[in-house]
Amino acid sequence: MQDPVADLLAFIDRSPTPHHAVATVAALLEEAGFARLKEAEVWSVAPGDRRYVVRGGSIAAFEIGSAPPAEAGFRIVGAHTDSPNLRVKPNPDVRAHGYAQLAVEPYGGVLLHTWLDRDLSLAGRVVVRDGTGLRSELVDLERPVLRVPSLAIHLNRELNQEGLKLNAQQHMVPVVGLSEKISLARLIGDAIGGKRGRKSAKPTEVLAYDLMTYDTQPAARAGAEGELVLAPRLDNLASCHAALRALIAGRRGSAAHRAASTRAIVFYDHEEVGSRSQAGAAGSFLADVLTRVSAGFAAPGAKGRTAEQAFERAASRSWLVSADMAHAVHPNYADRHEPGHRPVLGRGPVIKRNVNQSYATDAESAGLFTSLCEEVGVTPQHFVARSDLGCGSTIGPISAARGGIRTVDVGNPMLSMHSCREMAAAADVAPMIEVLRAFFASDVRPPA
Ligand code: ZN
């Protein structure tokens, strides 16, 4: 990887949906020598093995350390693959006043106004019949086919004084064209057919879909000196990118490879809607993977107690870094921040604290992350919400509760979180990768 910022922009552009993000991550893992494991198979692993597992819009990958996880624990970085957007309803085709429109609903905490007047496309997965079974297929229309038009100021004179009020049902219905013949089935049929080298798929082939909108404007480096990154889905593909690059960078034979602990990444779907799903952080995905890796490491013939308690022993020796973006101070709304805790764009990773456990960080995990930052010459910033304002959350507390693993919540600072197009700093991209690399290479044990 030459330029980490250009690499991040390409990573985001390749990943318009959680399912595409998983495919992007899987392809980069394969290039780096990670082999796919199936959940339906029995796993056995040996030191140095690089493997990954997919569950829906979530993916986990790991590199086995030189010692069993039960002896040396895991070093895990967690992030999420999903971002707020507009998702297509099951009966999608709407006709009104000469327009063909698409029925959509908001996914997660969408900043609705940011989706107005943008050149939107549609991507996701479709489920098709495959012999006697079902198959999921990725689909991406790639070109701008949708637009949610704003209302002209002449028809809404009070707008700038009273603020924009958007009703998700009424005002966010995208226009998809003017022809009577337009239908979603036809659009995705053509897209799938095109992929398979024929004109279109049979309408009966597609049984169901998870389809969502995305902005076709490519991610960009901007600002007077190229110091800004403007892109969709920085929350949280930027953290997925940093964790993936850090894991891949620990090559065989390097110091990281000789580390005793097993290094892992887990990127979850459904964080933006609370994580309660089959593939989400509140589900069994990470615990299943770690349990099977811990047990699968047992020396041949080793049965009984050692294997049975492998995961619990490993968990007590493990650390999890929950990487998700942090709120940088906004120059026009600085009062929304706690005066003594105002992270700034371009000044490095942020450690997030919340005494009420909206973030999982505690003194032990904050101590670990601070020492890793010191190791690579970075000074961490600190975030707490104002005492009179609510606090966001992450997969950190959920994963910590599910797996019993000490966790720190961190992330790079950004503005416009949950906008259709967000903003971060180019200077923050490389340091986060470096700190996570140091984390993967570290055998620092949790305090006894
Ligand atoms: Zn997030």
Side-chain angles (χ1 to χ4, degrees), residues 57-113:
S58 300
I59 185 166
F62 49 87
E63 183 173 33
I64 306 295
S66 61
E71 308 294 334
F74 292 97
R75 301 290 175 269
I76 310 156
V77 181
H80 65 91
T81 57
D82 61 324
S83 303
N85 54 21
L86 304 171
R87 300 202 170 185
V88 183
K89 293 177 179 174
N91 292 330
D93 300 314
V94 176
R95 310 264 169 227
H97 310 286
Y99 298 96
Q101 291 177 278
L102 205 58
V104 297
E105 59 187 322
Y107 170 87
V110 182
L111 264 181
L112 287 177
H113 69 274

Side-chain angles (χ1 to χ4, degrees), residues 352-361 383-385 389-392:
K352 301 184 246 180
R353 292 294 295 264
N354 178 259
V355 289
N356 297 309
Q357 299 299 299
S358 288
Y359 301 127
T361 310
F383 176 82
V384 297
L389 270 186
C391 182

Side-chain angles (χ1 to χ4, degrees), residues 80 82 235-236 271-272 323-325 352 393-394 417-418:
H80 65 91
D82 61 324
D235 171 17
N236 191 19
E271 190 272 345
E272 299 292 359
D324 203 343
M325 301 303 275
K352 301 184 246 180
S393 192
T394 68
M417 194 181 285
H418 290 193

Side-chain angles (χ1 to χ4, degrees), residues 11-358:
F11 181 86
I12 290 172
D13 287 338
R14 273 176 78 176
S15 312
T17 77
H19 304 287
H20 287 81
V22 165
T24 303
V25 171
L28 294 170
L29 286 168
E30 296 259 355
E31 272 173 31
F34 286 76
R36 182 165 179 177
L37 285 174
K38 295 270 172 65
E39 289 201 88
E41 291 162 359
V42 175
W43 299 358
S44 65
V45 290
D49 281 356
R50 294 184 138 192
R51 301 284 182 268
Y52 74 95
V53 198
V54 172
R55 187 186 284 186
S58 300
I59 185 166
F62 49 87
E63 183 173 33
I64 306 295
S66 61
E71 308 294 334
F74 292 97
R75 301 290 175 269
I76 310 156
V77 181
H80 65 91
T81 57
D82 61 324
S83 303
N85 54 21
L86 304 171
R87 300 202 170 185
V88 183
K89 293 177 179 174
N91 292 330
D93 300 314
V94 176
R95 310 264 169 227
H97 310 286
Y99 298 96
Q101 291 177 278
L102 205 58
V104 297
E105 59 187 322
Y107 170 87
V110 182
L111 264 181
L112 287 177
H113 69 274
T114 65
W115 288 84
L116 301 176
D117 299 343
R118 302 208 64 100
D119 307 350
L120 305 177
S121 190
L122 214 54
R125 65 173 174 178
V126 296
V127 172
V128 295
R129 269 192 208 92
D130 186 10
T132 54
L134 303 174
R135 191 181 69 252
S136 278
E137 210 170 292
L138 292 181
V139 56
D140 183 355
L141 299 188
E142 289 175 5
R143 63 203 169 88
V145 289
L146 303 172
R147 179 181 168 100
V148 189
S150 63
L151 183 63
I153 187 87
H154 318 80
L155 306 180
N156 192 4
R157 290 279 181 200
E158 311 77 38
L159 176 76
N160 291 333
Q161 291 70 46
E162 297 191 358
L164 179 61
K165 294 191 183 89
L166 291 170
N167 177 296
Q169 175 68 26
Q170 209 183 335
H171 302 137
M172 298 307 295
V173 192
V175 169
V176 66
L178 301 173
S179 161
E180 285 286 314
K181 292 186 199 138
I182 294 166
S183 74
L184 180 75
R186 201 169 149 151
L187 279 170
I188 55 181
D190 288 351
I192 299 170
K195 252 172 63 182
R196 295 194 194 138
R198 54 177 216 251
K199 200 158 178 303
S200 69
K202 290 186 225 113
T204 50
E205 266 182 329
V206 175
L207 301 174
Y209 53 75
D210 294 317
L211 289 172
M212 54 205 82
T213 53
Y214 72 92
D215 186 4
T216 54
Q217 185 180 357
R221 206 168 163 157
E225 296 180 353
E227 59 274 72
L228 303 177
V229 171
L230 308 181
R233 305 179 295 283
L234 285 166
D235 171 17
N236 191 19
L237 293 183
S239 304
C240 293
H241 172 263
L244 175 70
R245 283 306 179 195
L247 180 70
I248 287 176
R251 299 212 178 283
R252 286 165 197 277
S254 69
H257 178 63
R258 287 192 297 274
S261 53
T262 290
R263 298 162 288 288
I265 52 175
V266 59
F267 303 156
Y268 297 107
D269 199 356
H270 298 145
E271 190 272 345
E272 299 292 359
V273 292
S275 296
R276 280 175 67 88
S277 73
Q278 183 224 5
S284 62
F285 186 46
L286 180 63
D288 287 350
V289 169
L290 301 183
T291 303
R292 299 176 73 178
V293 171
S294 308
F297 192 96
K303 288 209 170 62
R305 253 184 216 173
T306 317
E308 269 172 37
Q309 297 179 18
F311 170 67
E312 291 80 356
R313 292 166 58 214
S316 78
R317 294 183 160 119
S318 297
W319 296 103
L320 184 130
V321 173
S322 162
D324 203 343
M325 301 303 275
H327 296 294
V329 64
H330 192 304
N332 306 341
Y333 301 89
D335 61 324
R336 294 300 170 111
H337 274 258
E338 208 290 321
H341 302 81
R342 289 176 166 165
V344 176
L345 283 189
R347 302 219 188 133
V350 179
I351 301 176
K352 301 184 246 180
R353 292 294 295 264
N354 178 259
V355 289
N356 297 309
Q357 299 299 299
S358 288

